Amino acid sequence: MHTNPKHLAIKDFVYELPDERIAKFPLPERDQSKLLYYKSHHIADHTFTDLPDLLPAGSLLVFNNTKVVQARLIFRKPTGGAVEIFCLEPVKPHREVQLAMQQTRSCTWKCLVGNNKRWKEGSLKIFFEGGVVTAEREAQQDGHFLIRFTWTPAELTFAEVLERCGRLPLPPYLNRELTPEDRTRYQTIYARNEGAVAAPTAGLHFTDKVMKQLQAKGIESNYLTLHVGAGTFKPVKADTMETHEMHAEQLMVSKQVVKQLLQHYGRPLIPVGTTSMRSLESLFWLGTLLLQQPDLRPEELHVTQWLPYETSTPPAAAEALQTLLDYMERHQTEHLHTSTQIIIAPGYTFRVCSGLVTNFHQPESTLLLLVAALIGEDWKQVYRHALSNGYRFLSYGDSSLLLP
């Protein structure tokens, strides 16, 4: 086993995914997806509605309640050509997604621009009922543009502007046009905090009915927010992980969640989705940082990509979480806003999570590395089983419950 994933070769995390196995559309009923149940080397086929019965007794499920924003804006030039602007992350006046979404009048975002060559000079406009939004290029940085948006009525928030004239950013591999149904089905039923450009897809299977069954079974649940960035689709181009730069994502967690994690300590903690898992494990590393440097300012709290592999003697999980809680109380903060670049790959030691609810991920992706970190070489067996038993793959695909 590698102790440090820097030297992992991504070519070892390949499997053959035929295009017809990618779920292009959601199922008619969210909770009727298949559920692959993996527990200590054994695999069984279930339906997602069986989840409450399959979870270990006394489990706590943690969900990511980020909400996908309509981050794609299609501007028409006077000559009729289209320029697409895809909002990636806010730059000013706020870098924090929550605040940026509430911004009125104008703001600047880091964006991708499709058909930039057609955009000769000046500004582009989209007219919508009762208003207009204008885009201007401020600067170009490696592959991205800084785009300044201004709009009227000026009292609208940027979230409202996107809601009125943006389009949902479906994953690129779906390779199809949006349907009206995507607006509801590419959001979890508990999506609340606007700011993601991709859905935390493990949550798409949950319905009110499943939520009630979980409650009836005495399964606790709670929410945190990790705004999923476009980097989640970024294939690993590097031969070894050392030169792959993980994308940073904004994380928001309440004091109440950290308290619950501490109270629950020692019992099964199951994240719903890779984003929830990365968030929960990041909380441990934030606590570890604070044990070493108690005087860090909130804006300096950040989990770097290799931090978990470069810390020689990490504390016990309870100590790290308690340190984080004490820090929040000392700073009188109900919600911690921070960011993480954590990479969870084989060689990682899990500190807080004891299982995972997740979909089936792309070959050569960091998400597949995370699954391999959790269940080891068995990931191959799980994916072989899914491929030979008609499971649907990727965002709108089927689900799995992995309990190592």
Side-chain angles (χ1 to χ4, degrees):
M1 200 63 184
H2 306 262
T3 45
N4 192 326
K6 278 187 182 177
H7 310 301
L8 285 175
I10 196 64
K11 66 171 173 25
D12 296 335
F13 297 87
V14 176
Y15 67 92
E16 199 53 50
L17 177 59
D19 188 59
E20 65 273 12
R21 302 310 298 277
I22 299 174
K24 296 288 198 303
F25 293 90
L27 289 177
E29 301 293 328
R30 286 177 189 262
D31 57 16
Q32 292 307 302
S33 41
K34 288 180 188 258
L35 176 71
L36 182 148
Y37 176 57
Y38 165 91
K39 189 176 180 187
S40 31
H41 311 302
H42 294 290
I43 292 174
D45 299 311
H46 286 269
T47 303
F48 195 79
T49 44
D50 299 336
L51 181 73
D53 297 326
L54 296 171
L55 287 166
S59 290
L60 166 61
L61 282 185
V62 178
F63 296 86
N64 179 5
N65 65 2
T66 185
K67 189 171 189 181
V68 185
V69 292
Q70 308 207 125
R72 291 171 55 212
L73 294 161
I74 315 280
F75 289 85
R76 299 256 166 232
K77 298 195 344 227
T79 52
V83 174
E84 176 174 333
I85 298 181
F86 184 6
C87 302
L88 293 175
E89 57 186 69
V91 178
K92 52 185 191 235
H94 306 291
R95 283 189 174 271
E96 206 176 276
V97 173
Q98 299 306 110
L99 294 172
M101 282 292 158
Q102 295 313 308
Q103 181 59 30
T104 53
R105 188 164 308 220
S106 74
C107 59
T108 300
W109 280 61
K110 185 168 124 183
C111 300
L112 294 174
V113 177
N115 286 339
N116 178 55
K117 288 190 181 63
R118 291 188 189 165
W119 184 359
K120 297 293 185 249
E121 71 277 317
S123 59
L124 298 173
K125 292 185 183 327
I126 295 178
F127 292 91
F128 56 90
E129 203 173 325
V132 58
V133 56
T134 304
E136 291 164 275
R137 280 175 299 204
E138 283 190 347
Q140 185 170 2
Q141 305 167 326
D142 39 72
H144 300 109
F145 289 86
L146 292 186
I147 304 284
R148 182 163 186 263
F149 297 102
T150 47
W151 58 88
T152 59
E155 64 273 14
L156 288 180
T157 64
F158 193 54
E160 290 169 319
V161 171
L162 291 179
E163 187 56 40
R164 291 181 192 198
C165 46
R167 297 183 185 191
L168 208 64
L170 278 186
Y173 47 64
L174 288 183
N175 221 345
R176 66 168 173 81
E177 285 302 304
L178 268 176
T179 66
E181 181 188 38
D182 290 317
R183 279 194 73 149
T184 51
R185 291 300 300 275
Y186 195 61
Q187 297 280 16
T188 60
I189 61 166
Y190 47 79
R192 205 171 128 224
N193 295 321
E194 297 171 307
V197 298
T201 56
L204 296 179
H205 309 277
F206 286 83
T207 54
D208 290 332
K209 189 173 118 201
V210 171
M211 292 297 212
K212 287 195 178 85
Q213 287 167 332
L214 288 167
Q215 233 176 339
K217 280 268 172 202
I219 305 281
E220 292 178 63
S221 59
N222 215 324
Y223 299 87
L224 44 73
T225 307
L226 182 83
H227 290 309
V228 192
T232 189
F233 299 123
K234 188 164 123 190
V236 180
K237 293 272 199 280
D239 293 334
T240 61
M241 292 312 296
E242 191 159 18
T243 46
H244 177 78
E245 194 192 346
M246 276 300 274
H247 52 292
E249 290 173 318
Q250 294 191 12
L251 167 62
M252 193 171 72
V253 65
S254 69
K255 199 163 79 177
Q256 178 251 332
V257 166
V258 181
K259 271 189 183 148
Q260 190 182 15
L261 294 177
L262 272 161
Q263 286 159 0
H264 193 85
Y265 189 65
R267 285 174 291 161
L269 175 63
I270 315 279
V272 172
T274 55
T275 58
S276 303
M277 179 175 256
R278 291 179 59 229
S279 304
L280 288 165
E281 292 293 321
S282 294
L283 296 179
F284 169 84
W285 294 107
L286 290 170
T288 304
L289 277 178
L290 289 168
L291 272 168
Q292 299 159 354
Q293 309 171 62
D295 299 328
L296 283 176
R297 298 196 308 278
E299 59 275 17
E300 295 172 312
L301 281 179
H302 171 70
V303 181
T304 55
Q305 180 164 345
W306 301 113
L307 175 73
Y309 309 95
E310 288 160 355
T311 309
S312 47
T313 47
E319 188 187 359
L321 291 171
Q322 188 61 54
T323 305
L324 187 59
L325 184 61
D326 296 344
Y327 179 85
M328 289 177 80
E329 297 196 319
R330 215 167 51 244
H331 284 262
Q332 299 178 327
T333 173
E334 281 304 313
H335 285 89
L336 190 66
H337 290 258
T338 167
S339 63
T340 181
Q341 271 179 294
I342 193 171
I343 181 166
I344 297 180
Y348 183 82
T349 305
F350 286 91
R351 306 291 168 177
V352 244
C353 299
S354 33
L356 176 66
V357 175
T358 191
N359 285 14
F360 296 93
H361 306 292
Q362 284 179 293
E364 300 194 5
S365 64
T366 54
L367 306 176
L368 190 56
L369 289 174
L370 178 146
V371 169
L374 183 68
I375 61 173
E377 283 294 297
D378 278 2
W379 78 264
K380 293 176 181 165
Q381 188 195 340
V382 164
Y383 274 65
R384 264 201 306 271
H385 181 92
L387 283 164
S388 44
N389 288 275
Y391 280 75
R392 299 153 69 250
F393 278 61
L394 310 187
S395 298
Y396 272 142
D398 292 315
S399 181
S400 64
L401 169 61
L402 307 176
L403 300 173

